[in-house]
Amino acid sequence: MVVLATKEAELPAAGQQIDIRNVSHQFELEGEPLPVLDNVDFSVEPGSFVALLGPSGCGKSTLLRLLAGLDQPTNGELSVDGEIVGEPDPSRILVFQDPTLFPWRTVWDNVALGLEAQGVLKRSRHRVDNAIELVGLKGFDKAYPHQLSGGMSQRVALARALVNEPRLLLLDEPLGKLDSLTRLTMQTELVSLWQRAGLTAVLVTHDVEEALFLSQRVLIFGPRPARIVADISVDLPYPRHRGDPRLAELRREALGHLGLAATW
Amino acid sequence: MASIDPPLSESAVQEAASVRPAASLWSTGLVAAAAWVGTAALIELWPEIIPQPYGRELAAGALVIALLLAVVAATGKLGGKAAVTIRYYGPWFLASALVVSGWEIVTAKTGLLPVPFFSSPQSILEVFFDDWERLGISVFYSVLLLAKGYFFGALAGFLTGVTIGWSRAASYWVHPVLRLIGPLPATAWLPLAFFIFPTSGSASVFLIALATAFPVTILTWSGIASVNRDYYDIARTLGAKPLFLIFKVAIPAALPHVFVGLFMGLGTSFAVLVVAEMLGVKAGLGWYLQWAQGWAAYANMYAALLVMALMCSTLITILFRVRDWSLSWQKGLVRW
C-alpha cells in the first residue's frame, strides 16, 4: 500500500529545473564562425512556463536544441535538475514548428513512436490512447498524416511528446504555421495541457502576444548573436483574458525592448 | 514512373458504372458483339489462299467473345464487378475485333503480307494448341531463373544501398566502384560470366542479379540520403537508438524510392534474362525464340513474344500490387 501510494504521488512528474550558465554557441558557415548565442545565462523554476521571445533567426531555436541534447554548446554549461545535458532523453521533448509526423505511420503509431523506441509500448498501450484523447483526436487513430489539417497534425505532434510524460517540454514555435483562429484555440489548449501535466515548459516564439498570454515569464533576446535583453515577469493568473489591460501594458514594454516602441 | 497512365483505377470503373446506371441496353457492347460476329463470319466464310488449320476454333473464339458482350449488354449491371470491367473496356473490344479482322484479311485471306514472316491469327492459335507444353515449360524456366536472379539482386542492392546511405565510410569505398561498374550493361559481362561460372544457369543468375542490383542500390541509397533530417532528431529526442533510426525511420522513409529502384531493376532484368537464354541457357522463352528462329517457325515466335509480354506485364503488376500495399499511406500513387 505504501509503495503504491508513493508511486501514485510521483506520477504527475514535477517539472525539471533548468540552469543555463554562460552558454555561447557558434556554427561554422563556409569556414567562417557564425556566433548565434552570446553568453546566455538564466535559470528556470521547476514547473514554470517560460517564453523566449526574439526576432526570427536570433538563435532561440538553437538554445532549445542544446537543451534537448541534439547539439552541444561551444562554451558554457546547460544542466537540467543539476545534471549536465548530454544525449537526448525522453524526459525532455522538443516539439518543432513543423509537426513532422512520420507519413507512413497512422496517428496512433505516430503517437506511440517514443514508447516504441524506448521498448515499453507493449505494456503502455493505454498511454497512447490517453494522449490521443488528451489532445482531442479520439477517433482519428487510424488516419494517416496526409489526411489531417495543420492544427490536427500539430495536436498529434503534441500527443507524441506528451505520451512520454516528459518533465520538460521544449516548444519551438509550435503554433507558428497555423492559421490565426486555430492558433488562438491551441494557445488556450497548450496552457491547460501544461497545467494538467505539471511540467516545465519553454516556448520559443516571435509573437509578443502569444508569449505574454501563455507564459509566467518572458525572456527577450536581441538580434543574433542572441543575448538576453530583458526579463519580464507576467504576474497574471490563468485563465487569462486577451483584453486584459495589464497584458497590453506588458506588451508595450516588450515591444520597447525589441526596438519597436514607435509602433505602439 | 509518373508517365504510366492509370488504365483502370477504381474511380474510373465506378465512373464507368455510374455513367449508365439506368441504361438497360449497352449500345457500345452491342456494336462490339456485332463486330465480333462479323469477325467470326469473315474467318469462317472467306476462303484462305493457303488452307490453314484452327480457322474454325478461332471463329468459335470470336463467337464466344460476341456472346459474352451481348450478355453483358443485355443484363446491364447484374453481372457484378466483371461486367463493370467489360463495360469499361467496351471500345477496346470493338477496336480489337477490327484489328483481328484486318490482320486476318492481310495474312490468311489475301496474303498481302508475305508468308511466313507474318503469321495469321489462326497459325498463332495453332502454336498454342500444339506446342503449349513446350511454351509452358519455357515460361516456367524463365520465371524460375528470373526469380533467383532478381531476388539476390534486389536483396544485394537494397543492403548495399542502405549501408552506403547510412555509413559515410561505406559510401567512401563503395561509391567509386559503383560509379565505374554500375553503368556497364550486365550483358557485357556475358562472355566472361559463362566462362567463369560452372554452369550457364548460375552465370545467368549472377548477370540478372547484377542488372537488378544497380538501380536498386542507387535508388535505395538516394532514398536513405534524402530522408528529412528532422525525422532523426524527433526520433532521437523520443529515445530512439541507432538500430531504431535505421529500421523504423530511414528504411520506411526511403521505401518509395526503393520501389522505383525495384521497378527499374525488374525492367533491366527482363532484358538480361532474354539475352542470357538466347546465348547460353538451354531453356526458357529466350531459348524458345532462338529455337523457333532456327526452324523458321515464325508463328511460334509471335506466340512466344505474346507469352513473354504477358509474363513481364504480370510480374510488373505483382510488383505494383506489393508497392501499393506497402505504401498505402501515400496518396496519389500511380497505378499499373
Side-chain angles (χ1 to χ4, degrees):
Chain A
M1 274 309 276
V2 180
V3 177
L4 240 171
T6 40
K7 224 180 166 187
E8 288 282 349
E10 273 171 16
L11 256 182
Q16 286 172 326
Q17 151 101 24
I18 303 173
D19 294 292
I20 297 175
R21 292 287 159 262
N22 306 317
V23 165
S24 297
H25 193 68
Q26 60 186 42
F27 293 123
E28 288 288 322
L29 202 70
E30 290 164 4
E32 295 284 306
L34 177 75
V36 284
L37 292 174
D38 180 21
N39 212 12
V40 175
D41 193 295
F42 66 90
S43 293
V44 175
E45 292 291 303
S48 58
F49 198 133
V50 176
L52 312 182
L53 180 66
S56 279
C58 78
K60 307 167 304 236
S61 301
T62 307
L63 193 56
L64 283 200
R65 287 183 64 88
L66 296 179
L67 275 172
L70 288 170
D71 295 320
Q72 294 301 319
T74 315
N75 285 308
E77 265 180 24
L78 297 98
S79 52
V80 165
D81 278 352
E83 275 184 47
I84 292 185
V85 174
E87 286 293 293
D89 187 278
S91 68
R92 311 184 297 270
I93 297 213
L94 183 52
V95 176
F96 293 79
Q97 181 176 12
D98 282 310
T100 341
L101 303 177
F102 290 7
W104 60 90
R105 284 173 166 248
T106 58
V107 165
W108 199 94
D109 288 331
N110 263 293
V111 174
L113 193 69
L115 300 179
E116 193 183 330
Q118 296 152 40
V120 297
L121 181 59
K122 275 209 177 113
R123 53 195 153 85
S124 27
R125 300 180 70 85
H126 62 279
R127 274 165 64 183
V128 179
D129 299 326
N130 293 346
I132 292 174
E133 207 178 331
L134 189 67
V135 296
L137 282 178
K138 208 176 170 192
F140 286 92
D141 301 24
K142 291 194 173 66
Y144 280 100
H146 73 78
Q147 298 167 305
L148 305 178
S149 69
M152 286 159 85
S153 296
Q154 199 52 277
R155 274 171 228 247
V156 177
L158 276 172
R160 179 176 65 184
L162 295 171
V163 74
N164 303 286
E165 288 166 9
R167 299 181 51 221
L168 172 58
L169 194 58
L170 303 164
L171 302 158
D172 189 0
E173 294 183 40
L175 313 181
K177 287 203 172 163
L178 301 181
D179 64 273
S180 51
L181 284 179
T182 313
R183 194 176 172 139
L184 298 188
T185 321
M186 296 264 308
Q187 284 175 353
T188 314
E189 285 178 24
L190 262 184
V191 168
S192 67
L193 284 175
W194 161 69
Q195 285 178 319
R196 250 187 286 179
L199 40 73
T200 309
V202 180
L203 169 77
V204 157
T205 181
H206 51 243
D207 181 330
V208 179
E209 195 191 325
E210 181 170 284
L212 293 168
F213 184 70
L214 292 179
S215 62
Q216 299 168 315
R217 182 181 166 202
V218 179
L219 294 170
I220 299 180
F221 286 77
R224 199 184 61 233
R227 64 159 67 93
I228 297 172
V229 296
D231 187 342
I232 299 177
S233 167
V234 188
D235 45 1
L236 286 170
Y238 299 94
R240 291 176 180 169
H241 303 280
R242 292 181 197 280
D244 195 318
R246 176 75 185 130
L247 274 184
E249 224 172 277
L250 288 169
R251 196 156 161 233
R252 183 178 188 174
E253 187 188 341
L255 286 172
H257 289 299
L258 288 164
L260 294 164
T263 62
W264 189 254
Chain B
M1 290 269 285
S3 63
I4 300 166
D5 283 320
L8 181 56
S9 61
E10 295 290 323
S11 59
V13 169
Q14 279 156 11
E15 224 171 85
S18 62
V19 167
R20 317 178 192 86
S24 56
L25 268 184
W26 174 40
S27 52
T28 314
L30 288 179
V31 175
W36 277 102
V37 170
T39 306
L42 181 142
I43 296 165
E44 180 62 24
L45 302 177
W46 187 339
E48 290 144 8
I49 51 164
I50 306 165
Q52 292 182 15
Y54 292 104
R56 182 143 300 159
E57 284 80 354
L58 190 66
L63 279 181
V64 169
I65 296 173
L67 190 66
L68 183 73
L69 287 166
V71 167
V72 171
T75 55
K77 287 186 79 185
L78 295 175
K81 214 183 161 195
V84 172
T85 308
I86 289 173
R87 275 182 170 233
Y88 175 78
Y89 282 114
W92 267 102
F93 276 105
L94 178 56
S96 51
L98 299 178
V99 168
V100 170
S101 301
W103 181 12
E104 187 66 30
I105 291 169
V106 296
T107 53
K109 303 306 180 189
T110 62
L112 274 176
L113 292 177
V115 183
F117 309 109
F118 295 92
S119 307
S120 62
Q122 49 264 60
S123 62
I124 293 172
L125 194 66
E126 182 186 352
V127 175
F128 288 127
F129 270 107
D130 294 351
D131 207 21
W132 60 269
E133 206 169 342
R134 196 176 350 219
L135 265 176
I137 291 172
S138 297
V139 171
F140 174 75
Y141 279 116
S142 284
V143 171
L144 193 67
L145 181 57
L146 188 75
K148 282 187 210 163
Y150 187 72
F151 172 77
F152 288 117
L155 188 69
F158 177 73
L159 293 178
T160 314
V162 171
T163 311
I164 61 180
W166 190 258
S167 151
R168 211 172 278 266
S171 164
Y172 175 82
W173 290 106
V174 177
H175 185 200
V177 179
L178 211 58
R179 273 180 73 166
L180 184 67
I181 309 290
L184 192 63
T187 42
W189 292 92
L190 209 89
L192 204 60
F194 281 151
F195 181 69
I196 292 171
F197 281 83
T199 61
S200 58
S202 55
S204 306
V205 169
F206 169 75
L207 291 176
I208 293 168
L210 195 66
T212 308
F214 179 57
V216 176
T217 305
I218 298 291
L219 268 301
T220 306
W221 176 27
S222 82
I224 299 272
S226 64
V227 175
N228 186 347
R229 314 311 292 177
D230 291 347
Y231 289 165
Y232 297 130
D233 283 346
I234 282 168
R236 279 174 65 210
T237 59
L238 295 174
K241 301 283 174 285
L243 275 184
F244 188 92
L245 294 181
I246 295 177
F247 288 101
K248 298 284 186 165
V249 183
I251 291 178
L255 219 48
H257 282 83
V258 175
F259 273 103
V260 177
L262 287 172
F263 171 73
M264 288 166 62
L266 194 56
T268 48
S269 74
F270 291 152
V272 178
L273 172 79
V274 174
V275 174
E277 285 178 342
M278 281 181 168
L279 294 183
V281 187
K282 295 278 174 283
L285 283 172
W287 167 83
Y288 188 97
L289 277 174
Q290 194 78 350
W291 167 84
Q293 196 207 19
W295 291 98
Y298 293 95
N300 294 58
M301 292 171 66
Y302 286 109
L305 278 178
L306 195 62
V307 171
M308 198 184 279
L310 285 174
M311 179 186 85
C312 296
S313 180
T314 306
L315 290 173
I316 289 193
T317 304
I318 292 171
L319 180 67
F320 270 63
R321 287 285 152 80
V322 173
R323 182 193 68 151
D324 288 352
W325 176 78
S326 332
L327 304 184
S328 52
W329 50 269
Q330 271 191 333
K331 55 175 177 178
L333 273 184
V334 177
R335 287 180 190 277
W336 170 252

